[in-house]
Amino acid sequence: MVGSRATSGVEVQLDLAGPRVRSGLEHELREAVRQGRLAPGTRVPSSRTLARDLGIGRNTVADAFGQLVAEGWFVARHGAGTWVADRSLADASAESLAGSPRAPGADRAEAALRARFDLRPGLPDLAGFPRAEWLAAARRALAVAPDEALGYGDPRGLAVLREALAGYLVRARRVAASPGRIVVCAGFTQALELLGAVLHDRGATRVAVEAYGHRLHRDILATCGLATVPVPVDERGAVVAALDGIGGGVGGVLLTPAHQFPLGVALDPARRRQVVGWAADSGSLVVEDDYDGEFRYDRQAVGAVQSLAPDQVVYAGTAAKSLAPGLRLAWLVLPAGLVDEVVEARQRRGLFPSALDQLTLAELVVSGGFDRHVRRARLAYRRRRDRLLSDLARHAPQVEVSGIAAGLHALAHLPAAGPTEAEIVARAADHGLALEGLGAFTYHEPARRGPALVIGYGTPPDHAYTATLARLTAVLSP
Amino acid sequence: MVGSRATSGVEVQLDLAGPRVRSGLEHELREAVRQGRLAPGTRVPSSRTLARDLGIGRNTVADAFGQLVAEGWFVARHGAGTWVADRSLADASAESLAGSPRAPGADRAEAALRARFDLRPGLPDLAGFPRAEWLAAARRALAVAPDEALGYGDPRGLAVLREALAGYLVRARRVAASPGRIVVCAGFTQALELLGAVLHDRGATRVAVEAYGHRLHRDILATCGLATVPVPVDERGAVVAALDGIGGGVGGVLLTPAHQFPLGVALDPARRRQVVGWAADSGSLVVEDDYDGEFRYDRQAVGAVQSLAPDQVVYAGTAAKSLAPGLRLAWLVLPAGLVDEVVEARQRRGLFPSALDQLTLAELVVSGGFDRHVRRARLAYRRRRDRLLSDLARHAPQVEVSGIAAGLHALAHLPAAGPTEAEIVARAADHGLALEGLGAFTYHEPARRGPALVIGYGTPPDHAYTATLARLTAVLSP
């Protein structure tokens, strides 16, 4: 038994015997992670230290580390050593979280067990989070924040952030916003839960949703006691005319007008007018999920539907794509008559976002740092999109790509005659590449569309993008 | 019309005419805040700048600022100028949030309109939040956090924080904790919502609660579809024998064993054993709300009930009192069989706390900074408690104080023959002092106790504590 004390203070006990040192070491390290002796998120001793303590060659240790990184147990950070993967793979597999509906952490943990490369949609480039700018903004914000900001605070979110967001949304997304109508939430999903609760309290029994979208959103509405009714989507966005014959009890419709998720189309101007007309006539709400509105590449940003009818439309924005999901910050701009109800629903549940993150985001927006970051990120994502298009055109010309004008994902249509979505996804998994097919995001639109992949080109870190695209084209090449 | 550009970039437009310059200026500043031109949380121009821009005397401006601070519109920060109060008074009054059940922000905003001094319970000294230590920990944490930590992350909370909390809870609160059984929540109220949802899903219809406590907690349980049944509280804590005859459908009991809120008593050892026996026999849960367990003054900390029966007791801790409510960080230590259900309830709602705050708290705990802060705070609060006791003994000897061994509040019993709770609270309001009577925290225990005040001696900032106590003794002196 040889002990080595990691810099993180975690004790690593390795029991090594016999000739197969490298595979034995790999096994011991896996077990140490699985059993929690090497805790997720902690730093692993350097290969030099471990090799010396164990009396084995440093290359052997380095090779074992490389294998564990490849398997997703460890994460190598440039110049900062090797770390136990933060999301505990051992826990995820042992406790079988993967069965629950769209469990983001567990899904990804499970996939990380088998995939080194990831093009599933839903994440920005987490390596692009502006850590230094964020910390500097936090420092400036905490230097001047009144003590009261650290208390329970305004139930709509801190005024300083609502003020900053109102300015930003008017300027960048043409939203009709004022601080008094903004409610800051701990992520879009919480915002949706609040809206669902309010609609249910108002007597709604159903909410219309696009026929393609996130299962989690429908699950949250179901948790609020609301059934969901699909609205078809075509190349001009949601077919909002379908709302006319939808019947009673519909509290509203959840749309992604700027960049439909996952099809990637923008809601056509005539339909924008049509849907707010429907909302006004029927007394329903339009919920505008503007999840990636900051990222539009080829033409002027599409303005918010909300600006057409601020009393019929709830605008929902988020920092999940523009900064990082881990911030858990999103914001609603509400019709004036809805603010009290949403605040009251929140108070009955006690759901509030972090005051420190709110203060910091406010400072980042007011100082211009948020805009600078979004501009940088937009350029980087545009380049990634262009790379995706040119690589696919060269190596998999039979694949047609759509939904490319905006956002962090595109739709890659597979030839109807070729392999199915499931076959491609499975083939990619064998290549260590995690993909998701359009089927995973389809609510209920029988056989209208051929097979397609929803390619999340924002997901990989920059340094892995080339290798990730190479896997994709290898999987797709005819 | 004279314009002055504040350092915060907010434009202040003041329309001044006639001789009554100071009251005119006060009126204009109030209107500027009310209408949002001077945004909450922004810095007001210095009195020197404003006086020069407006062509009036600096003392006049300084006097007007002083008046607005007294009225709660502005906040003066030592050496950092004058700021518009963060929680928008104008909004709170105009939008009448105060009517909703236990609206923390709105309540306090409304009270701030009339009260300069505050001894209501529920807040720690927000001025004592260790801003510099927090920022330093955030910097260290972000320097090493893997990118994955900024994503959706583990649905139980980041592993690095669960690891740190497990160590802390075992050491400081004698909780039987392991990282795999911890779920990090965005505040205790969210934790309670998750537990309520799980109990409801299990078929429970009722939850027992102490007869004295927070109305918000009962409201949250009601939102989960659970009725609440009161359990009497005496000088040995909750009378848990009452649970035996409570009937069916009771999913659990919510207790504050270390320091009953608001009565301040500790749950007697025999009753601790009794309640976990009841839970085991009836298949119910004990939810142990350890909201201020860090702060015990006169003897060894009372260990957690959870350690007696980790499979019957859910332990709930929070950073709201030990650091600040605005962090929105709390943690559950769950029976092993409950983890999946709580995680699944969370996933159906999408409720997750800030990743950055999680990383930072983990670093603060692991580095020892959290323990140092708690030790400093404990000493400071103990001194405040001793001041409260000695001032009351000297100036209001007819008031008997109990519940003083721990926490940030004490119970001041008023002589039955004297003024009622409501009369004292009203008299205090006239003196600019916000107080709350025991009645505000009474569920349903008819006329068992005489009138009392729940004195939150943690609430005022240090520099105001002497003046606040002077108001209290003036109000209470016979």
Side-chain angles (χ1 to χ4, degrees), chain B residues 152 168 212 291 310 365:
Chain B
Y152 286 101
Y168 171 76
Y212 296 87
Y291 65 103
V365 170

Side-chain angles (χ1 to χ4, degrees), chain A residues 39-40 75 77 83 86-88 91 95 97 100-101 103-106 122-123 126-127 129 131 134-135 138-139 142-153 155-156 158-160 162-163 180 189-190 193 216 219-220 223 320-321 324-328 339-340 343-344 347-357, chain B residues 36 39-40 75 77 83 86-87 91 95 97 100-101 103-106 122-123 126-127 129 131 134-135 138-139 142-156 158-160 163 180 189-190 193 216 219-220 223 320-321 324-328 339-340 343-344 347-357:
Chain A
V75 176
R77 285 183 53 79
W83 297 74
D86 181 66
R87 153 186 328 122
S88 167
D91 289 345
E95 299 185 27
L97 300 170
S100 27
L123 281 180
L126 297 172
F129 180 76
R131 298 187 185 207
W134 182 268
L135 283 168
R139 195 176 318 117
L142 269 184
V144 298
D147 295 328
E148 292 75 20
L150 305 175
Y152 286 100
R156 290 166 299 179
L158 292 181
V160 66
R162 290 184 288 113
E163 190 78 29
T189 46
Q190 192 213 73
E193 195 206 355
L216 175 62
D219 289 341
I220 288 171
T223 300
K321 303 294 182 293
L327 289 180
R328 313 301 316 165
V339 175
D340 283 357
V343 165
E344 205 260 326
Q347 283 167 336
R348 270 188 287 119
R349 288 169 178 77
L351 306 178
F352 297 92
S354 157
L356 300 185
D357 288 348
Chain B
V75 176
R77 285 182 55 79
W83 298 74
D86 182 68
R87 155 183 328 125
D91 288 346
E95 300 185 26
L97 299 171
S100 28
L123 282 179
L126 297 172
F129 181 76
R131 299 186 183 206
W134 182 267
L135 282 168
R139 194 175 318 116
L142 268 184
V144 299
D147 294 329
E148 293 74 19
L150 306 175
Y152 286 101
D154 189 302
R156 291 166 298 180
L158 293 180
V160 65
E163 191 77 29
T189 46
Q190 192 213 75
E193 194 206 355
L216 175 61
D219 288 340
I220 288 171
T223 300
K321 304 294 182 293
L327 289 180
R328 313 301 315 166
V339 174
D340 284 357
V343 165
E344 205 261 326
Q347 282 167 336
R348 270 188 286 120
R349 287 168 181 77
L351 306 179
F352 297 92
S354 157
L356 300 185
D357 288 349

